[in-house]
């Protein structure tokens, strides 16, 4: 049995990080990071600019190779597994700055999120062959289902250029969830959204919470973080400063001093 099929039948698995350290030259980006990311929860990861939040995501997905530490999904050791292997295990993410492809409709953009699962591959799915047509029809159904989960199925055939930022952001998240990930990492999903769009995003994120899913949100919008998260970890210059539920994080004097600011004091 392959690792992928083994994991498909497994119960909810925590993502465990032990003693993680990452440096670029003399720049110690992450040091001594130890935490558990639990399935069934929404976990927030917050901290000042440059704290190492995106770098931490890059370590989890295998894009960066930490110099020290261990990561495992349940009992599966992740060290040495390349990004494609981790994607096959169910890791999925949205990026801080990546947008949708303007030449494709919303649903076609979401279908890109399924290419790694396709037996035929994404390009084949666009070729006029029977296998490609079937694959494309199936992927379109899955992509439409992902859009529906985010409440934006009505925009499936629109071009991205015709849609407001809030819908585009939800479409990016739909792309990340279309393959039914086991670990979903969202990097600043509320960046650039207005307050109404941010509320819609909060609602959508809370609807995505599910017993098997490890969901981690990096975000500077503290109202959103405090509303949607069960557990929050605070990073400061590469170190874990605090972990707790929203009330505990709000009440932590050190967190208020380095990050939340005087307004919350
Ligand atoms: N590929 C890289 N090469 C060199 N340095 C890097 C690289 N990636 C990240 N860093 C450094 O790691 C540190 C943390 O950056 P990172 O992007 O992880 O912060 P962040 O917490 O996501 O910040 P922001 O809130 O601004 O997105 C920074 O000093 C950054 O310059
Ligand atoms: Mg970042």
């Amino acid at each position: 049995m392959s690792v992928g099929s083994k994991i498909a039948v497994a119960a909810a698995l925590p993502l465990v990080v032990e003693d993680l350290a990452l440096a670029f030259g003399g720049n110690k980006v992450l040091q001594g990071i130890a935490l558990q990311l639990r399935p069934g929860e929404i976990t927030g990861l917050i901290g000042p600019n440059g704290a190492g939040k995106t770098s931490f995501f890059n370590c989890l997905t295998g894009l960066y190779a930490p110099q020290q530490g261990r990561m495992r999904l349940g009992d599966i050791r992740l060290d040495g597994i390349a990004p494609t292997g981790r994607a096959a295990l169910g890791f999925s993410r949205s990026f801080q700055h990546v947008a949708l492809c303007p030449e494709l409709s919303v649903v076609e953009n979401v279908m890109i999120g399924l290419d790694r699962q396709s037996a035929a591959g994404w390009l084949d799915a666009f070729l006029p062959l029977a296998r490609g047509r079937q694959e494309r029809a199936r992927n379109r159904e899955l992509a439409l289902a992902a859009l529906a989960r985010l409440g934006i199925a009505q925009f499936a055939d629109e071009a991205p250029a015709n849609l407001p930022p809030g819908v585009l952001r939800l479409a990016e998240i739909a792309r990340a969830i279309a393959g039914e990930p086991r670990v979903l990492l969202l990097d600043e999903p509320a960046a650039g959204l207005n307050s109404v769009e941010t509320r819609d995003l909060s609602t959508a994120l809370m609807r995505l919470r599910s017993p098997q899913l490890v969901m981690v949100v990096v975000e500077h919008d503290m109202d959103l973080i405090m509303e949607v998260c069960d557990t929050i970890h605070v990073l400061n210059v590469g170190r874990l400063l605090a972990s707790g539920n929203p009330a505990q994080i709000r009440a932590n004097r050190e967190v208020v001093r380095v990050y939340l600011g005087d307004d919350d004091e």
Side-chain angles (χ1 to χ4, degrees), residues 54 96 187-188:
T54 299
Q96 200 169 340
D187 201 346
E188 301 201 23

Side-chain angles (χ1 to χ4, degrees), residues 94-138:
S94 73
F95 289 89
Q96 200 169 340
H97 298 295
V98 171
L100 300 179
C101 179
E103 282 81 25
L104 300 177
S105 70
V106 167
V107 70
E108 286 168 342
N109 268 282
V110 175
M111 287 165 70
I112 292 175
L114 295 161
D115 67 338
R116 63 172 178 270
Q117 294 196 331
S118 296
W122 186 69
L123 257 185
D124 285 6
F126 284 83
L127 296 175
L129 304 171
R131 173 167 144 137
R133 272 200 306 273
Q134 278 170 12
E135 188 90 52
R136 185 171 161 77
R138 183 179 150 272

